[in-house]
Structures are given as structure tokens and as C-alpha cells.
Amino acid sequence: MNKTLSTLIAGIFIGALLATSGFALFLRAQKSGGGVASQTVLKLGHGLDTAHPVHQSLVFMKERLEELSSGSVTIDIYPSAVLGAEVQSIEQLQNGSLAMTCQSVAALENFIPSMAAFSLPYVFRDSEHYWQVLNGEIGHELMEKGEAKYLRGLCYYDAGSRNFYTKDKPIRTPDDLTGMKIRVMNSATAIDMVKALGGSPTPIAWGELYSALAQGTVDGAENNVPSFYSNKHYEVCKHFSLDGHTRIPDMLLMSSKVWKQLSPQVQGWVQQVAQESSDYQRELWNQKTKLAMEQAAAEGVHIYEVDTALFQAKVQPMLNAVEHPDVRILLQQISQVN
């Protein structure tokens, strides 16, 4: 009889878990002091693999949240886009079926128009200026802009700077790009940037880029150092120029609908561990970038420091031609941060 009752109770708990696993926030039964207590569970989905610094930082955040809450609050993390691609994840936040996600701010342009400023070249003078903006009043206000769309920003994660790399000829000045076929994302801004610099932009899917480089379909591409190394593009491209034309951060987002269901204490815990995870991720990213650069150099890649002012001058007309008022205002505000 006791065995039957235990089986019945276990079945009820499993059924409850399965029934609630489709929700952004649910209660999970767990053993506590010989009894059974409930644990608040937040569901988080993202598109990166488990080796990525962002995923590792989200695991760190989960562990810190469990520490602060004495195990009463946790996060279930679903990597590698198992819950949907970037736009799907954002839409799930809006309808409250997903609690949290981490996405590039470039994916937020259709929801928060001013985010388009990040895709423009040379918006930031350097890494220090970039983080002064993100950790200051401007960055905080940007995270609040999504509230009208049920999107609450919690913190930023570093995604590095994008730089040109090529097969046969180094890029030391914009003139070196003349006539070169450069792979870009399927983005109007990225295409216009390469055109402004004198190159021939060629949109190609990221997964097809290695073969396109090897076969000579394109002469080069652009991305951050860790992506260049981890995707083995160093096997084909032996020239990497540190021009740092764009810096597009990732943002940790939470559904405003889910946020409002949390107590003030839990909200405080979540905000605290989010910021801690941002600091942790920056350290991981810096380490990964340094290691990737050293490994690429060991594989025979030549790394060049360049005069970014020459590149900035070429793309300035792009910035001058921005029409959206929200983007123009943001660009002006960013330029005034010292």
C-alpha cells in the first residue's frame, strides 16, 4: 500500500513537472529537510553552444541565484536554440512563455529601433568608451526601452569587435579593400559599410563561409577573433587586421510579464546575479580573445594594428545619412560620452 501511494505521489510530481515545463516560470517540488519544498524555476533559452563564454556565464548566474536564494529559485538553461531561434525567443518573452534569453542587440532592432545604432561602424572610439556607454546612463536607458514590448534588459555581455581578415593581401588601409570580395552578414548596414570602404560586399551564410574562402568565392570576411579561430578560418586566411569597425553587444533579456510575477526580493536577486554574470563574462571573453589571438599567430596568421581614423573617415557619410530620429539621437549621446 505504501509503495503504491509513493508511486502515485511520484507520478503526480512528474505529471506536474511535465505540465509546467512549457511555462516560463513554474514551481518544482524538491526534497528539503526530510520533506518536500517548492522551488521557483525560470526558463532561459539561447542560441549559443555550451563552450561559449555567454553560456558559461549563464551557468554562473544560475549557481549564484541558487546561493542567494538558498536553493528556492533557480534557472533552467536551454542552449543551442533548442527552444527557438533569436526572433522566436524574443517573441516567447513577449508572450510570457519564456522567462529569459540572451541575444545580440542587432536582433532587437525590429523591437527597439534605436538599437540599430550598434550595427553602424565606428560608433565607439575603443573598448573603454564602449563599456562606459553600456554601463552608464545610456546603456541603462536602452535596457528599459523594451518595456513597452514586454522586454526587460538585465545586463550586457561582450561580443568583441568585428575586424577584417583576408586570404592573400592584408588590409592596412581602406584602399586595400578596393575590389576585394568580403563576406558580410545579410544586413543592409554591413553591406553599405563594405561598399563605403571600397570593397565588394558578398552576403554568405556563416556555415558556408569556410568553403567560400577556400574556393575563392570571397577574398575575406569580418568577425571577432574568437569566432575567426574557433571556426578554423585561420587555415585559409593568414591576414587579420584589428580595425574594430563594429562592437555589437549581447543583452540578457527577461520577459516583463514574468518579472512582474516575482517578489521584490527575487527581482533583486535576479538583477544582482545578472550584473555579476556580466562582469564574469567580460573576464572570460577577454581570456578567450587573448588565447585565440595567440593560437592564430602560432598557426601563421599575421595580425596587424591599423590606423582606424582612416577607416572612420571613409564611413562617416553613413553616420551622417542616418534618418531615424531615435538612432540619430542615440549616436549623438554616445559621441558625447568621455
Side-chain angles (χ1 to χ4, degrees), residues 6 55 63 76 136 179 190 194 207 218 231 246 272 325:
S6 298
H55 177 81
E63 293 171 348
D76 279 358
V194 172
V218 290
N231 288 274
T246 53
Q272 178 182 333

Side-chain angles (χ1 to χ4, degrees), residues 22-35:
F23 293 90
L25 180 152
F26 57 91
L27 297 179
R28 173 185 292 153
Q30 62 173 356
K31 291 182 179 180
S32 176

Side-chain angles (χ1 to χ4, degrees), residues 11-302:
I12 291 172
F13 280 132
I14 292 171
L17 177 58
L18 291 174
T20 56
S21 61
F23 293 90
L25 180 152
F26 57 91
L27 297 179
R28 173 185 292 153
Q30 62 173 356
K31 291 182 179 180
S32 176
V36 177
S38 62
Q39 180 184 50
T40 300
V41 182
L42 299 167
K43 190 167 66 172
L44 186 158
H46 68 85
L48 300 167
D49 63 68
T50 56
H52 196 282
V54 164
H55 177 81
Q56 294 170 0
S57 300
L58 295 173
V59 172
F60 169 84
M61 179 176 70
K62 165 192 170 79
E63 293 171 348
R64 284 289 295 127
L65 183 57
E66 290 173 350
E67 288 177 12
L68 283 179
S69 68
S70 299
S72 65
V73 188
T74 189
I75 302 170
D76 279 358
I77 304 173
Y78 299 83
S80 305
V82 296
L83 297 183
E86 54 188 24
V87 174
Q88 291 172 306
S89 295
I90 294 170
E91 290 174 346
Q92 288 177 65
L93 257 63
Q94 290 181 302
N95 63 37
S97 62
L98 184 65
M100 306 169 79
T101 189
C102 182
Q103 303 294 342
S104 168
V105 299
L108 296 173
E109 291 181 22
N110 291 332
F111 304 90
I112 309 169
S114 55
M115 292 295 185
F118 287 97
S119 296
L120 292 167
Y122 297 107
V123 171
F124 303 99
R125 293 186 292 274
D126 50 33
S127 179
E128 182 180 356
H129 180 221
Y130 171 71
W131 282 106
Q132 282 180 328
V133 170
L134 295 184
N135 286 335
E137 183 178 349
I138 294 173
H140 184 72
E141 290 177 355
L142 282 173
M143 287 195 289
E144 293 181 338
K145 281 187 176 291
E147 287 283 3
K149 301 289 181 69
Y150 305 106
L151 302 171
R152 181 183 183 85
L154 295 177
C155 69
Y156 296 97
Y157 291 135
D158 201 351
S161 63
R162 298 181 75 92
N163 309 271
F164 290 114
Y165 54 90
T166 47
K167 291 178 62 177
D168 303 317
K169 183 179 74 172
I171 305 299
R172 289 192 170 98
T173 72
D175 291 342
D176 294 324
L177 280 161
T178 302
M180 295 187 74
K181 293 176 290 185
I182 302 296
R183 180 270 175 185
V184 294
M185 297 179 287
N186 191 14
S187 154
T189 304
I191 290 170
D192 289 346
M193 177 192 68
V194 172
K195 283 182 179 178
L197 291 169
S200 177
T202 309
I204 292 176
W206 178 250
E208 301 171 7
L209 178 54
Y210 184 98
S211 59
L213 288 165
Q215 295 167 10
T217 306
V218 290
D219 303 305
E222 48 90 46
N223 212 320
N224 57 57
V225 179
S227 294
F228 168 73
Y229 185 78
S230 64
N231 288 274
K232 298 187 177 182
H233 292 175
Y234 61 83
E235 294 179 348
V236 185
C237 295
K238 296 299 183 182
H239 304 283
F240 195 102
S241 301
L242 297 172
D243 65 291
H245 45 265
T246 53
R247 297 176 186 271
I248 307 175
D250 293 335
M251 184 186 289
L252 179 62
L253 293 159
M254 186 163 190
S255 167
S256 296
K257 293 181 178 180
V258 175
W259 175 263
K260 291 174 182 177
Q261 296 179 52
L262 303 177
S263 69
Q265 183 179 46
V266 174
Q267 289 177 348
W269 287 337
V270 170
Q271 187 62 67
Q272 178 182 333
V273 299
Q275 188 55 54
E276 288 178 6
S277 74
S278 174
D279 297 337
Y280 181 74
Q281 190 270 344
R282 283 180 65 184
E283 277 297 316
L284 289 182
W285 184 265
N286 289 337
Q287 293 170 15
K288 192 176 183 72
T289 299
K290 181 180 179 182
L291 179 61
M293 197 172 297
E294 292 172 352
Q295 291 172 325
E299 294 288 346
V301 175
H302 301 283

